[in-house]
Amino acid sequence: MKNFEKIWNNCNPNIKGFIFILLASATFPIMGTIVKYLTLELHPFQLAFFRCFFGLIILIPIILKNEPSKILNTNRLKLHIIRGLFGVGAIMAGFTALSMLPLATAVTLGYTRILFLVPLAILFVGEKPAFLRVILIIIGFLGVILIINPNNDSGITYYAAIIALIGAFFVSCVKLTVKSLTSSESTLTIQLYYGIISSISLLIPCIIFWGSISISNLLLIFLAAICGTIAQMLTIWGLRNSTTTVVMPADYSRLIFAGIYGFFIFNEIPYLNEIIGSIVIIVATMIILLLDQIKKK
């Protein structure tokens, strides 16, 4: 154990970051797998509520140990509410997409959030995109079109793909609002207000679409919430002291893990058009990320 600790402490920060992101990429799809499995019995809105509520419950012990009054104090409540509503839109669309799409396909379409960040930056930040980035966005969405094929057994329809893209769009909005909030708010403050706002917002849809839920299913949702929380923490640790362009390619291994989980749990086998479309989306988004990092330097 001491030898392992010594080796770990001597590791390059980029290697540590890569490992953390890799672990996060293996953990995130576990949450997706549980949610997809549960959509066979429960409505996505019901799942979304309990995911957010349990996420809040997990946070409470941590907050109680870290000056709760200080964490609750904020001068940016309006932006917290906006961020919370964007988050609700993202999780509702994301869980609905999981109920309609193969696991790996849902994960792949989630990467289009990077494509949405560019037009959002134009609208709200006044950023002028380079011609190459515009071309890459178009290529990325062409990858989405390649994935869609209602005629094969996977049944990836335009409707299902649009739901997944709406979820990705809301995730992009979340990222922009969180980026603004981090300039003055702690991570715990942002997470706490999101937990409160999302739980309250999802309560009514949960009641409307309520179905009987067993203790075992509640435990599975709680496990999904734990996996999501752990994956988020691993991502933060991975990005903290490492170079983004070095560690973020590991995030795309999420697609590999999702493919493995989907094959063994749901017997999902990707078709050629899904593989080609996924490659197109991944290449386009990776180049956009690389260009963003070069621009920052």
Side-chain angles (χ1 to χ4, degrees), residues 108 123 147 150-151 179 252 266:
T108 300
L123 288 172
I147 286 176
N151 297 319
K179 185 177 180 181
Y252 288 93
F266 306 109

Side-chain angles (χ1 to χ4, degrees), residues 47-79:
L47 289 171
F49 167 75
F50 281 109
R51 161 65 183 90
C52 293
F53 179 70
F54 286 152
L56 178 61
I57 296 298
I58 292 169
L59 279 176
I60 288 175
I62 302 172
I63 290 166
L64 290 175
K65 292 183 179 180
N66 291 273
E67 300 182 60
S69 58
K70 185 177 179 181
I71 293 170
L72 277 167
N73 184 40
T74 180
N75 295 317
R76 307 184 73 181
L77 181 59
K78 184 178 178 180
L79 191 56

Side-chain angles (χ1 to χ4, degrees), residues 127-167:
E127 184 177 308
K128 296 181 179 179
F131 178 73
L132 179 57
R133 293 178 78 192
V134 175
I135 295 299
L136 288 168
I137 291 169
I138 294 171
I139 291 172
F141 283 114
L142 286 175
V144 175
I145 295 172
L146 284 171
I147 286 176
I148 301 168
N149 187 354
N151 297 319
N152 64 34
D153 292 338
S154 65
I156 301 173
T157 63
Y158 287 101
Y159 176 72
I162 287 170
I163 295 295
L165 291 176
I166 290 172

Side-chain angles (χ1 to χ4, degrees), residues 228 246 261:
V246 174
Y261 302 157

